[in-house]
Amino acid sequence: HNSNTHAEFKGQCWPTCLSDGASLSAYDHIFTDTLYPGPSASPTNLILTSVTSTTVTMSWEPPPPDLQNGIIRKYTVKVANCRTGNVFLLNTTKPETQVGMLHPYYHYCLYSFAVSAVTVEPGPFSDNVTVRTLEDAPTGFPTMPVLTAVDSTSILIDWDAPPLE
């Protein structure tokens, strides 16, 4: 998408550049509005790996050079918890990152990730990629077992599983 974006340049200009005939020194700033779009394509090859029950590593390739439309300054990562629908954004300058302490700390949970490259403006987000975090030990205990005699040589042991997070 194209948008008017404020740009700042530093440099010199011939006296005819300015309407009042003044000249600029090498340290003067020139401000202008320019059409400077963000990337025309999203990052590609998004790879997710569960590391723990609350941590995921991710990596990706930048958009193709001819579609970057400038220097990529950062990447914005969108993370969605598939159980709650909660979404948060984080920024990184490298095409890989580790997202830890996924909130609200659900273990063995699906998360959806997408990434966008940003020059002056953000580009489109990649397609969502989903990963399940690893299992973890229960945070509680099962209920007290109930023993019931079935016959003279066997018993039935019954209990409830630990509560979910």
Side-chain angles (χ1 to χ4, degrees):
H1 68 284
N2 288 340
S3 63
N4 286 325
T5 302
H6 186 74
E8 178 181 348
F9 301 95
K10 193 183 286 189
Q12 291 183 317
C13 183
W14 294 101
T16 56
C17 280
L18 302 175
S19 59
D20 63 2
S23 64
L24 299 171
S25 75
Y27 298 102
D28 286 334
H29 294 267
I30 303 168
F31 297 95
T32 186
D33 286 330
T34 181
L35 290 178
Y36 193 32
S40 302
S42 61
T44 59
N45 299 325
L46 178 56
I47 299 171
L48 305 173
T49 306
S50 289
V51 178
T52 69
S53 62
T54 59
T55 304
V56 171
T57 60
M58 54 189 305
S59 64
W60 57 86
E61 298 294 325
D66 60 326
L67 299 175
Q68 290 181 8
N69 299 328
I71 297 169
I72 295 177
R73 307 251 185 242
K74 67 179 179 179
Y75 295 93
T76 299
V77 176
K78 179 171 51 173
V79 183
N81 180 308
C82 295
R83 183 183 293 177
T84 65
N86 292 343
V87 175
F88 67 91
L89 301 175
L90 61 95
N91 293 314
T92 182
T93 56
K94 298 177 182 175
E96 73 272 335
T97 192
Q98 181 167 305
V99 181
M101 298 309 291
L102 290 167
H103 190 69
Y105 313 125
Y106 290 120
H107 306 293
Y108 197 61
C109 184
L110 283 174
Y111 287 89
S112 176
F113 291 79
V115 65
S116 168
V118 180
T119 56
V120 173
E121 292 285 322
F125 274 96
S126 65
D127 289 337
N128 290 323
V129 177
T130 303
V131 67
R132 183 179 295 279
T133 56
L134 299 179
E135 292 182 278
D136 204 350
T139 56
F141 298 98
T143 59
M144 180 66 77
V146 176
L147 306 173
T148 306
V150 176
D151 57 37
S152 63
T153 59
S154 61
I155 59 170
L156 174 66
I157 304 173
D158 191 27
W159 68 90
D160 290 328
L164 295 175
E165 316 297 323

